[in-house]
Amino acid sequence: MEFGTIRNQQGEQIDYAYHGADTNQDILVLVGHGVTGNKDRPFVTALAKGLAEAGFPSLRFSFSGNGDSEGKFTDSCPSKEVRDLQAVLDVVSQEGRTIVYAGHSMGGAVGVLAASQDVRIHKLISLAGMVHTKKFYEVEFGDQTPDEGCMWEDESCPLSSIFADDMEAIGSVLEKAGGISVPWLLVHGTEDDVVPIGETHEIFEKGGDNAEKVVLEGADHVFSSEEAKSRLVRETIAWLSK
């Protein structure tokens, strides 16, 4: 199955890779990345491929301005990425198909924002999900000047005022958790030094009976070890198989 060209509201083409499966054709798992990431992050690829091999078709994509997707990186921010996700949903959603969105880091915040308002997301997965956007910005980039500095000393990722303003305006997605009425899996590693695992514990408490939490001992923010990637895939498959 191919979905053809996917474009966002600005007409920018969204780069994606589809991983088909012989079974479960009535389900599709969308995988979104975090800040400065893209669809080809090793754990993103491992998750998408692992799901497909287990019989769950998946589609990993890069938000506009990231990876090989069109658009400017300096326009990237959670609010725009919500609209990018909605553009993907416009193309892949169809009657009878269960759509699962798995978002990493800031992509996890995007998932909470989207799932709290868009009924086309039937199941939600937060991977080391960011909760407090304003705090994240202040901790990671507070010493930089928007439109002059860059993210984590990476000149290919300039820090924009668009990003700064949106992170502050959102502030936190914590209260949006009450609007998540679909099954929700939260996965976080104990050695995450980018998004503290405490944020997952905090939003899990707001998630109600539909939320389930998995703690990966020793895993970092990007699930870089082979053990972390393997367990991430296994836990996600087990949850989807319920």
Side-chain angles (χ1 to χ4, degrees):
M1 179 187 299
E2 286 295 336
F3 298 101
T5 301
I6 301 177
R7 295 187 183 276
N8 63 11
Q9 292 178 359
Q10 290 74 32
E12 298 158 347
Q13 185 169 334
I14 301 297
D15 181 48
Y16 71 89
Y18 174 70
H19 301 267
D22 295 330
T23 56
N24 297 313
Q25 293 300 310
D26 59 344
I27 190 170
L28 179 64
V29 183
L30 307 176
V31 187
H33 59 83
V35 180
T36 74
N38 57 64
K39 71 175 179 58
D40 298 319
R41 274 279 176 93
F43 79 92
V44 172
T45 302
L47 178 59
K49 288 183 175 179
L51 288 171
E53 289 169 2
F56 296 99
S58 63
L59 184 153
R60 53 189 169 92
F61 67 97
S62 296
F63 290 108
S64 57
N66 292 266
D68 291 326
S69 286
E70 294 178 351
K72 296 188 297 183
F73 180 81
T74 49
D75 289 337
S76 299
C77 62
S79 294
K80 188 183 183 192
E81 293 187 356
V82 169
R83 296 191 292 272
D84 286 348
L85 174 55
Q86 290 170 334
V88 176
L89 291 169
D90 288 342
V91 173
V92 305
S93 296
Q94 67 179 44
E95 186 175 356
R97 175 179 289 156
T98 297
I99 299 294
V100 184
Y101 173 69
H104 173 248
S105 190
M106 192 171 84
V110 167
V112 173
L113 291 169
S116 64
Q117 60 178 295
D118 197 321
V119 296
R120 296 175 297 176
I121 297 175
H122 304 116
K123 295 184 179 182
L124 180 65
I125 302 173
S126 298
L127 308 173
M130 184 188 302
V131 175
H132 303 299
T133 57
K134 181 179 180 181
K135 180 181 178 181
F136 175 87
Y137 178 87
E138 291 172 346
V139 170
E140 298 296 333
F141 310 125
D143 61 343
Q144 299 291 318
T145 301
D147 301 323
E148 295 181 15
C150 55
M151 296 182 178
W152 294 308
E153 301 181 354
D154 185 347
E155 293 184 359
S156 67
C157 299
L159 182 66
S160 71
S161 56
I162 291 174
F163 176 81
D165 292 346
D166 198 49
M167 295 289 274
E168 180 175 1
I170 292 169
S172 174
V173 301
L174 184 63
E175 296 308 316
K176 294 290 185 182
I180 306 296
S181 58
V182 298
W184 185 9
L185 175 66
L186 300 101
V187 184
H188 215 126
T190 59
E191 300 306 309
D192 191 335
D193 61 355
V194 179
V195 175
I197 192 173
E199 295 198 14
T200 283
H201 295 321
E202 192 176 1
I203 201 167
F204 171 74
E205 294 300 321
K206 297 276 190 178
D209 295 338
N210 57 314
E212 182 175 332
K213 179 174 60 177
V214 172
V215 173
L216 300 186
E217 292 293 334
D220 61 15
H221 186 60
V222 294
F223 309 97
S224 58
S225 72
E226 291 306 310
E227 179 182 357
K229 283 194 284 285
S230 178
R231 190 174 173 204
L232 171 62
V233 172
R234 291 198 310 271
E235 294 286 357
T236 304
I237 290 170
W239 182 74
L240 289 172
S241 299
K242 291 181 180 179

